[in-house]
Amino acid sequence: MLIEPAIFLVAHTCLRAAQEVCCRLSRAGSISPGAGEKLHRTLGYSSAVRVGDRVETSGQAGVNDELVVPDSLEDEIIQAFDNVERTLATVGATWRDVIHVNSYHKVEAGNGVIGDDHNKVMAEQFRRRLGGRAPIWTETGVTALGLAAMRVEIRVTAIVGSRKLNAASGDCKQRLTREYYRGRSHGVMWRGSARS
């Protein structure tokens, strides 16, 4: 007896549950108040777009509503995180829905390293805002950003309700593991090889 059909059925059921949680299709673009409104009027882009439960944001600078960059790098990074939070809220999401972060850090030409001064503040903000979750993070060093004084920009991908999806995927993983071990304990063939 092969166990693959049972595994397929459990995996298919889990996939359907995940689709119900995160794939209701609707499309909405959003403009963040303050700086987002100014940039939309000037450059014509949205701060965030939501398709179903998936949210993509544009890069958020660490600027105030007048597009002024703080003197302190730490204040700039914290403001960028605040601006991401405000942008997510316009489409019904929070930092706890974030699954992927891209951050862009200005480095001097010839300096191939993003410094600890950037990384320390980024890590502190992740811990403060994500409630123990760890999204994937891509950190990129660049020589220029949208404004001459900018040193950081952050964009994110979020799945609204991803906390529910994570709980559902954990349940699916447990069910798949149970099926696997139940098959092994009964001497069932697993992937075409006999268990002795």
Side-chain angles (χ1 to χ4, degrees):
M1 168 166 84
L2 291 175
I3 199 163
E4 280 83 0
I7 296 297
F8 172 79
L9 181 60
V10 171
H12 179 72
T13 303
C14 291
L15 177 62
R16 299 272 301 163
Q19 288 172 335
E20 289 173 15
V21 170
C22 70
C23 294
R24 291 179 227 83
L25 289 179
S26 65
R27 295 175 187 219
S30 180
I31 310 303
S32 290
E37 293 167 329
K38 288 180 182 180
L39 293 169
H40 176 71
R41 277 193 308 271
T42 305
L43 302 173
Y45 68 89
S46 296
S47 304
V49 174
R50 180 171 173 168
V51 178
D53 291 334
R54 183 184 181 99
V55 174
E56 298 285 346
T57 72
S58 62
Q60 300 299 304
V63 297
N64 66 16
D65 288 345
E66 303 304 316
L67 300 176
V68 175
V69 178
D71 291 332
S72 152
L73 174 63
E74 180 176 5
D75 291 344
E76 182 181 353
I77 293 172
I78 291 169
Q79 183 66 54
F81 271 83
D82 289 345
N83 291 344
V84 169
E85 187 170 307
R86 184 163 65 165
T87 298
L88 288 168
T90 67
V91 290
T94 71
W95 268 105
R96 292 188 182 215
D97 296 311
V98 170
I99 62 167
H100 186 186
V101 176
N102 289 97
S103 61
Y104 305 93
H105 304 265
K106 188 184 272 186
V107 295
E108 297 299 320
N111 184 1
V113 177
I114 298 169
D116 287 339
D117 51 344
H118 287 253
N119 291 329
K120 178 180 170 262
V121 181
M122 292 292 293
E124 287 170 356
Q125 292 301 304
F126 285 148
R127 281 191 281 280
R128 181 175 158 247
R129 296 171 191 262
L130 291 164
R133 295 185 67 218
I136 56 177
W137 176 26
T138 302
E139 182 180 43
T140 305
V142 298
T143 56
L145 290 164
L147 298 172
M150 285 172 57
R151 293 161 288 191
V152 68
E153 185 171 338
I154 302 170
R155 67 146 316 276
V156 302
T157 301
I159 305 294
V160 178
S162 63
R163 289 163 289 200
K164 290 185 249 175
L165 181 59
N166 285 342
S169 67
D171 180 54
C172 291
K173 183 178 177 183
Q174 290 173 356
R175 289 167 57 195
L176 287 168
T177 303
R178 270 196 312 271
E179 285 294 325
Y180 170 77
Y181 284 111
R182 186 171 62 185
R184 286 180 63 115
S185 68
H186 291 99
V188 174
M189 291 178 66
W190 181 254
R191 295 189 184 162
S193 61
R195 171 85 172 122
S196 46

